[in-house]
Structures are given as C-alpha cells and as structure tokens.
C-alpha cells in the first residue's frame, strides 16, 4: 500500500488542469489521468490523443516511487467536496484501487479503480525537438482568444474548416465566420505569436473560465511547437496544455489593424446597445441609420417605423452619411467588446468597429495597450 498526503489546493489545481485533456468516454483509459509519484515530486498527465495536459505538485508526504491512474474529473469532485486543508491518497497496487481520505487520519474514504498504468498513452515523444515560439502575457492572451472566439461560427458544420480556427500572424489574432463578420486582436504583448493555428474546440480549455490560463495562475505563458503539436506552459513549467497541430496556410482576411480612410464616428457602446435593444422590441429586422450633426439616427426597416437616436462624435468624412445594418449581427459584435466607447467606420459594403484600450497589470501597474477590431457586412434596405 502506497500513499501521499497533499494540500487540497495543490490537488485541486492539478486535477482541474489535467481534466481539460481527459476523454469523456469513461470506460476507456483515456478518461483517466496518470499519476506519477517520485518521492517529493508528483506529476499528473492526461491525454485523449488530441488534447494533452500535465501538472506538477509537491506532496507533503509520499511513500517512495509508484504510479496509478484515476478519473481526474471524479477526483476533482471529491477534492471540492472536502472541507479539510489536506487530503490523503492511497494506492493498492494488487487490487488496483485508489482511495481518497478527507484527511490524514480520517475514516471517511472514497475508492476508485485504476487502469494498468503501463497501458497509459503518454506524449513524451511529441515533446521532442520542441521549438519555443516565445512567452506572452497570460491575461492579454486570454482576452484576445475570447474576443476572436466570438467571430467563429457556432454551427457544427461550417462551409469551410478554416472558419473553425483562430489564426495568429505576427502578433495579431484573426477569426471569421465565413459569412458576414471578421475579428482581429492586436497587442505588442502577443508579438511572439506567428504562424499559429488554434482550433475552435481548443479555445475553451485554454481561455475558458476553468481553462489553463485561468487555473495556472501564471502571468506569462510560454508557447512551444513541434512538428506535431502546440503546447502552452506556465512560466515555471509546473503545468501545461497542448493539442495536435494543424498545418494549414494562414488565410489573408480583408481586415487591417490600421484605421480606415472612410466615414467614421465615436460612440458610447453601452448607449448604442441600449438603443438597439429598444428598437428590437418592435422589429428584429434591419436598421437604417444616418449620421448628421453628430447625431446617429436609427429607424427600423418596417412598415410601421420605430425611431431612436444617440449622440456621437465625427472622426472622419462628411457630416452626413447613411447605411443599413442587421440588428442581431451588430448586437453580437458589440457584445464582444469591453470598452465604453468605440470608433465605428462605414464604407459602401462594410462596417468596422474599433476599440483601443489598455490592460493594467495588477502587480506592476504597467499599462499594456491593445486593439480589438470587428468587421461586419452591411445589409441592404428592404
């Protein structure tokens, strides 16, 4: 019988991270995590063959060297249900049983099966010949990935596979739905990212509420690539998440991070959202808009017209211009931004929404600028 005693928070972080890569098919070994104990060091791995994750922690006590597998999601449930600060885990190699106690001397125990650890799929070979891409700001990366995720299609079978992917080129993140909207996110903090592709189904385990960036607690994230995979690791290499690489060409999207040379105005984002929501009460169809004397006037494209208006500030172009847009499309893009004010530029066929802001480092108070851009096709009045 082998055992370890560890802090609850260390176990919670570890099994939370490796759960990101465990398979949902509970009858298979890929639904388990491999736990390796080597005296004062513990490493936990998980992989479903496509996603890969690991996390290290230091047990308070450990009996020599041993290893076992366990369902990380079940372990996380047990850990979250425990009120004590320390948790004891034992492994009976003969019975292939993992037992979890809510403290060192408790009689409260939950037991789980272990697969043969020798059958566990490892990814050590995938980490060979690693090429460091660079280190980026974790919070900025999370913000950029979540912003671009909102421009990718939500349907399961889009017209093209390229629209299920986020692309990074020369520090700029790109994404599109293949129909009527494109997004771009730029920051000097992301400059190392180049020729990088992240599939849509990898964005949640990386940038989601319980993803790697949130759980790692690391202010910097290192990006490592090999011929087969992409790996993101914490600055101290204590945890990481990776996925099989996609080697497509980076597409050229018709969007630029530079401000366009066309009619434009600055407007309150919350104010515009409120006005659009009011108009949507009577119609969810197109909105016909015009700008004159620094007032944005809007009217529904319906038989019984509803109207509203909001103040704006002209940035460029003529004093008066008109355009028609889809209310739902505009609302979905406005909701992706965080800034209180947006610059909106209009040309004959498209509308460009731009936010330039700064992210403040909690520790150093350093201000890090970024630029978020959303492009949408304009509608025709009906």
């Amino acid at each position: 019988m082998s055992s370890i005693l560890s802090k609850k928070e260390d176990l919670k972080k570890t099994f939370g991270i490796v759960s990101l890569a465990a398979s949902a098919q509970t009858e298979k070994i890929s639904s388990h995590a491999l736990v390796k104990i080597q005296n004062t060091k513990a490493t936990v791995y998980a992989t479903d063959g496509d996603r890969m994750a690991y996390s290290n922690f230091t047990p308070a006590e450990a009996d020599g060297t041993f290893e076992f597998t366990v369902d990380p999601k079940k372990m996380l449930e047990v850990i979250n249900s425990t009120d004590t600060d320390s948790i004891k885990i034992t492994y009976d190699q003969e019975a292939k049983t993992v037992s979890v106690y809510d403290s060192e001397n408790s009689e409260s125990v939950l037991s789980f099966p272990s697969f043969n650890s020798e059958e566990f799929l490892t990814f050590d070979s995938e980490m060979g010949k690693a090429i460091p891409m660079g280190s980026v700001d974790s919070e900025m990366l999370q913000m950029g990935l979540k912003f671009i995720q909102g421009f990718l299609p939500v349907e399961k079978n889009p017209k093209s596979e390229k629209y299920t992917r986020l692309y990074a080129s020369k520090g700029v993140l790109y994404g599109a739905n293949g129909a009527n909207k494109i997004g771009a996110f730029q920051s000097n903090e992301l400059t190392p990212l180049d020729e990088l592709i992240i599939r849509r189904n990898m964005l949640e385990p990386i940038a989601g509420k319980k993803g790697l960036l949130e759980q790692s607690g690391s202010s910097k994230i290192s990006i490592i690539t090999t011929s087969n995979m992409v790996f993101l690791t914490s600055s101290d290499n204590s945890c990481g998440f990776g996925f099989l690489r996609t080697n497509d060409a980076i597409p050229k999207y018709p969007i630029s991070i530079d401000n366009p040379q066309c009619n434009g105005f600055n407007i309150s984002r919350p104010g515009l959202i409120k006005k659009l929501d009011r108009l949507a009460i009577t119609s969810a169809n197109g909105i016909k808009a015009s700008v004159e004397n620094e007032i944005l006037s809007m009217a529904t494209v319906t038989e019984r017209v509803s109207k509203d208006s909001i103040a704006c500030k002209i940035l460029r172009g003529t004093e008066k211009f008109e355009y028609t847009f889809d209310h739902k499309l505009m609302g979905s893009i406005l909701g992706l931004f965080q800034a209180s004010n947006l610059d909106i530029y209009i040309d004959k066929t498209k509308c460009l929404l731009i936010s330039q802001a700064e992210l403040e480092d909690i520790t150093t108070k350093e201000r890090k600028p970024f630029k978020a851009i959303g492009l949408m096709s304009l509608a025709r009045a009906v």
Side-chain angles (χ1 to χ4, degrees), residues 129-280:
K129 298 180 181 180
I131 302 174
M133 181 174 287
S135 180
V136 299
D137 183 88
S138 178
E139 191 174 1
M140 189 70 76
L141 178 60
Q142 184 179 31
M143 181 183 294
L145 294 181
K146 291 174 74 172
F147 178 76
I148 296 300
Q149 185 176 13
F151 289 89
L152 303 182
V154 295
E155 66 268 22
K156 293 183 178 180
N157 299 304
K159 297 178 181 179
S160 173
E161 280 294 313
K162 72 178 182 180
Y163 298 120
T164 65
R165 294 161 186 168
L166 177 150
Y167 299 90
S169 177
K170 298 179 180 179
V172 183
L173 308 181
Y174 298 96
N177 70 347
N180 51 20
K181 62 180 180 179
I182 304 172
F185 186 95
Q186 183 272 335
S187 171
N188 290 338
E189 301 295 325
L190 304 180
T191 299
L193 301 183
D194 192 30
E195 298 297 316
L196 177 65
I197 301 174
I198 303 177
R199 285 172 281 143
R200 180 180 59 189
N201 61 338
M202 297 299 156
L203 292 174
E204 197 61 28
I206 295 173
K209 188 175 181 180
K210 295 183 179 180
L212 174 73
L213 301 180
E214 191 78 21
Q215 294 194 74
S216 70
S218 180
S219 61
K220 294 287 185 179
I221 291 292
S222 297
I223 314 295
I224 301 169
T225 64
T226 71
S227 59
N228 298 323
M229 62 171 291
V230 177
F231 223 92
L232 293 83
T233 69
S234 58
S235 57
D236 61 0
N237 204 33
S238 65
C239 61
F241 175 86
F243 52 91
L244 293 182
R245 188 170 182 173
T246 302
N247 293 314
D248 293 352
I250 304 291
K252 292 183 178 180
Y253 288 121
I255 187 171
S256 170
I257 62 172
D258 299 321
N259 291 349
Q261 304 299 306
C262 59
N263 294 327
F265 57 91
N266 180 272
I267 197 166
S268 164
R269 185 181 69 91
L272 180 56
I273 291 175
K274 183 177 181 179
K275 297 293 185 180
L276 291 176
D277 287 345
R278 276 180 54 82
L279 291 174

Side-chain angles (χ1 to χ4, degrees), residues 67-135:
E67 60 184 44
F68 57 88
T69 77
V70 69
D71 185 325
K73 296 174 184 177
K74 291 291 185 182
M75 281 293 293
L76 199 55
E77 288 185 55
V78 174
I79 294 164
N80 288 330
S81 68
T82 302
D83 296 327
T84 56
D85 294 332
S86 296
I87 295 175
K88 181 181 179 180
I89 302 173
T90 66
Y91 175 56
D92 185 332
Q93 185 173 3
E94 185 176 343
K96 292 288 189 291
T97 299
V98 179
S99 299
V100 185
Y101 300 81
D102 63 4
S103 66
E104 185 175 4
N105 300 310
S106 175
E107 293 185 3
S108 173
V109 58
L110 295 177
S111 297
F112 303 95
S114 170
F115 285 104
N116 186 347
S117 61
E118 294 178 356
E119 298 176 1
F120 193 85
L121 176 65
T122 63
F123 49 91
D124 291 342
S125 60
E126 301 290 344
M127 290 299 290
K129 298 180 181 180
I131 302 174
M133 181 174 287
S135 180

Side-chain angles (χ1 to χ4, degrees), residues 315-334:
L315 298 174
R316 180 181 174 83
T318 60
E319 276 293 313
K320 182 177 180 179
F321 49 92
E322 299 180 347
Y323 61 101
T324 302
F325 61 88
D326 180 275
H327 165 264
K328 289 184 178 179
L329 179 59
M330 174 66 86
S332 69
I333 296 178
L334 286 172

Side-chain angles (χ1 to χ4, degrees), residues 44-61:
V44 184
Y45 302 88
T47 177
D48 63 0
D50 184 24
R51 300 170 297 173
M52 310 147 206
Y54 76 90
S55 185
N56 302 322
F57 68 95
T58 302
E61 298 177 12

Side-chain angles (χ1 to χ4, degrees), residues 14-35:
T14 291
F15 285 101
I17 289 174
V18 298
S19 292
L20 300 172
S23 171
Q25 299 179 333
T26 56
E27 71 279 3
K28 294 186 177 182
I29 194 171
S30 58
S31 67
H32 274 213
L34 175 63
V35 182

